[in-house]
Amino acid sequence: MIALREHFDEDGASLVARARAIFAPGGLMSRAKNFEYRAEQERLAGAVARALATGRHLVAEAGTGVGKSLAYLAPAVLFALENERKALVSTHTINLQEQLIYKDLPILQKLLPDEFETALFKGRQNYLCPRRLARARQGTAELFTGPEASELDRVYLWSLKTRDGSLSDLPREPSHHVWSQVCSESHICTPKSCGPESGCFYQNARRRVAQADVVVLNHALFFTLLAATLAGEEDVASEKETKDKTKRPEGLLFDDDFAIFDEAHTVEAVAAKQLGLGVSQFGLRATLGRLYNPRTKKGLWSVLRDAEGVRRTTNVLEETEKFFDRVGQAADFKRAGREARVREPELVPDTLSSGLDALRAQVAETARTLADEPTRAELADVARRLGAMREGVATFLRQGAEDYVYWVEKTGKTESFFSLNAAPVDVSVLLRPLLFREGRSVIFTSATLAVGGSELGYFRERVGADGEEVDAVQIGSPFDFKKQMKVYVAARMPEARSLGYDEALARETARYLDLSKGRAFVLFTSYRQMQALAARMRDTFFRERGWQLLVQGESLSRRRMLDEFKADRESVLFGTESFWSGVDVPGDALGNVIITQLPFAPPDSPLTEARCELIKKNGGDPFSEYSLPEAILRFRQGVGRLIRTKSDTGIVAVLDSRLVTKAYGRAFLQALPKGCPVEIVR
C-alpha cells in the first residue's frame, strides 16, 4: 500500500496558487454576481488549500464578511476531484447548510471547469420510508387513533408529490407517534429491504451522498455517525466501501474523506452531547408506545393480538413512570434549575432494568417466530432500542463510564419529564485520536475562535487540536467597524443581585432602544430575567411606542420570530442562548444589539462545574482557563450579530458594569471588533 504522505504535495504550492487565483482580482469569482475582491478571502482559501494539499490540519478564525464558506469550498472541491476524495462540510445551523447547498456550491458549479456532485445529508429519521408507510396504513386500525389516522392520510398524500421525502418538506409536521411509525430506521430501512425500486427517500439520499463529491451535514449528525461507525452500528461508507464490513473506513465516516467544520465554536458542546449518554422518560415512553399504548389500546401487540405482550408492556410503562418519579424526587434541582448533578452511583434503586430486559427478550423472541418480515423488522428494532435504553439506565445508575459527568434534566415545555444524561468532561481526549490522524485533514473555521492571541490556543486545546500537526491562522474582517458601529458600556449599572437592578435594567434597555427606534436584539443569559423584563416593559414601554415585542418561548418558533422581526422594522426581539449565535439579520431591520449581562455560564451547571473541577484538580485556575474564555467567545458571538454586510450600521449596548469595574473587563473590551469606538456611559 502506498503511504498516505505520498499523495500530498510537500508544500501544497500548486493547489494554493490555484485556490488563491480563484479569488484574486480578475479570477474566476470575479464572474459571479456582486463579487467584491477581499484579500482576506483569498488568504483563507490559500490556507485551506495548503492544509489539504500537505495532509495537515487547520484551525482558522475568519472575521465576519470574509466570505469564508466560498473560501474553503473552492479548494475543497479542487482537492476532492483531483484526489478522488469526499469533502464533508459540517455546520451547526440549518441556515448555513441551506446557504451552502442552495447558494454557495451552485456558484462554484457554474464557475469551476470540472463538474462535481453535492448532497445534503440529514439523519435517517428525517426521511419517510415508503415501505414503513405502506405497512402503517395496512395496520391503521390497530396502530392509530382517528386523529392520528387522519395525519397518516395527510402524510400519504404528501408522499405522492414530495421530491426529497424529508420532514422539513412537510407543510405541517405530524405527531411524534405518527412520524416514528413511518420514518427510516436503521434496522428496518436497509439497502436490502428498501432497494432502488422501492423509492425509499432515505436510501435514495444515501446513494446521492455516496456518489457526491461534497457532502453537507450538521455537527450533531457527524458525531452521531462517528460514534455509531466506531461501534459498528451504522454503515455510512461509500459505494466503493470495502468488502470487509467489520473494517471501519480509513476516513472519518467514509473510506476516503476529509472534513471541514464551519461554525466550529460549537463543536465541543455538540461532540460532548453526541458522544455522551442520554435516556429520556419521553423517549422510553414513545418506544414502549410502539408496542402498546394503554390509553389508545393501539400498537404492534394489538396488530399481533398478543395479550401477554400487552400485559407486560403495560407493566413496564407503569414502572417507567414510577422510576422517573423517584429520579425527580431524588435529584437536587435547587441549585441549577433544570439540571441536577448526580455525584454518586445508585441515585435510585434500579427497578426498571429487569422489566425492560424481560420485555426486550419477549419482543426479540416474537420477532424470530414471525413469518411476516416487515413486522419482524419492526419488533427487532424495538428490541434493539429497549436493550440500548436498558443499558443506558444501568450505566447511569452505576456511573459506569469513567471521566464522565452525570446529571438529571427536566425536559418538555412544562418540565414535567426527566432525562438521565452523561457526557465526557474532557472532549479533547476523545476527539484527538478520532479526528487528528495523519493524512486525513480536518479544517475548523469560525468567525469567533480567539480569546486573545493569534495561535487560537484555547479553542485548539478544547477540541484536541493542539498538536504540532495542526496549523492556526487568524484572519480579520474586511468591514470598517470604526465607521459602521459604536459600543456603549453602561458603567453605572448595579450588580445583578443588588437592590434596584431590575428597575435599572428596564431603564437602560429603554434608553438604548429609543436610540435605535427599536430594531434591536436584546440578549439575555437568564430565561427568567428575560420574561420578567418583558412583563415589566410590555405595557409601560412597548405599547406606548407601538413597537412589536417578540419574546423567545412565548408562542412563535425561532424561525418565525426572525421572519416577523425582519418584516417589522420597529420590532424588538428578546432572546436567550440560541439568539447569541447563528442568526443572520443583514440590513436595516437590525440596528442595535443590547447585551444585558456578560455571558458567563452558570457555575453550577453540571458540565461547567465538572470541567472547572478537572482544571482545578490539574493545578489550573478554572476562571481564567475556562469560565472567562468561554464567556468571551459567547460575547463575541453576540456582538457579531450586528454587522453582517459592508452597508450595515448600528450600536451595541452592554448593560454590565463589570466591563469597567472588574480587571477581567479589559479582556472583553479587547475582544470587540478591531477599531470600533467605545463610549463608557457613567
Side-chain angles (χ1 to χ4, degrees), residues 45-68:
V48 172
R50 179 169 287 106
L52 293 175
T54 58
R56 291 180 62 79
H57 308 291
L58 176 68
V59 174
E61 178 181 280
T64 307
V66 165
K68 65 179 182 299

Side-chain angles (χ1 to χ4, degrees), residues 240-247 255:
K240 297 182 291 184
E241 57 198 346
T242 59
K243 294 181 179 179
D244 181 5
K245 297 293 184 178
T246 63
K247 180 182 177 183
D255 287 340

Side-chain angles (χ1 to χ4, degrees), residues 618-680:
N618 293 333
D621 174 33
F623 181 78
S624 63
E625 293 180 30
Y626 181 72
S627 299
L628 181 59
E630 285 294 310
I632 290 173
L633 285 176
R634 194 174 173 200
F635 177 74
R636 293 186 66 202
Q637 282 286 323
V639 172
R641 295 313 94 212
L642 181 66
I643 305 299
R644 309 303 296 175
T645 70
K646 283 189 174 182
S647 60
D648 288 349
T649 59
I651 63 172
V652 172
V654 184
L655 310 185
D656 194 325
S657 60
R658 289 178 292 178
L659 228 60
V660 292
T661 62
K662 300 294 184 182
Y664 59 74
R666 184 178 302 173
F668 286 94
L669 291 172
Q670 291 173 341
L672 290 168
K674 188 176 181 180
C676 78
V678 178
E679 180 177 338
I680 309 298

Side-chain angles (χ1 to χ4, degrees), residues 363-386:
V363 174
E365 180 59 31
T366 303
R368 279 192 291 270
T369 63
L370 287 178
D372 181 62
E373 193 278 330
T375 305
R376 183 170 70 244
E378 291 280 348
L379 287 173
D381 183 68
V382 172
R384 180 186 61 83
R385 287 175 179 272
L386 291 175

Side-chain angles (χ1 to χ4, degrees), residues 122 146 209 377 402 412 487 495 564 583 589 609 632 667 670:
K122 301 179 184 180
V209 166
E402 294 184 11
V487 176
E495 293 283 337
E564 289 282 326
V583 178
E609 190 176 57
I632 290 173
Q670 291 173 341

Side-chain angles (χ1 to χ4, degrees), residues 548 550 556 559-568 571:
Q548 179 181 204
L550 302 164
L556 301 178
R559 176 171 288 190
R560 183 71 187 279
M561 283 179 70
L562 284 172
D563 289 342
E564 289 282 326
F565 181 82
K566 292 174 183 178
D568 185 343
S571 59

Side-chain angles (χ1 to χ4, degrees), residues 515-527:
L515 270 185
S516 61
K517 294 182 171 55
R519 305 185 304 120
F521 277 5
V522 185
L523 302 178
F524 297 82
T525 59
S526 164
Y527 188 79

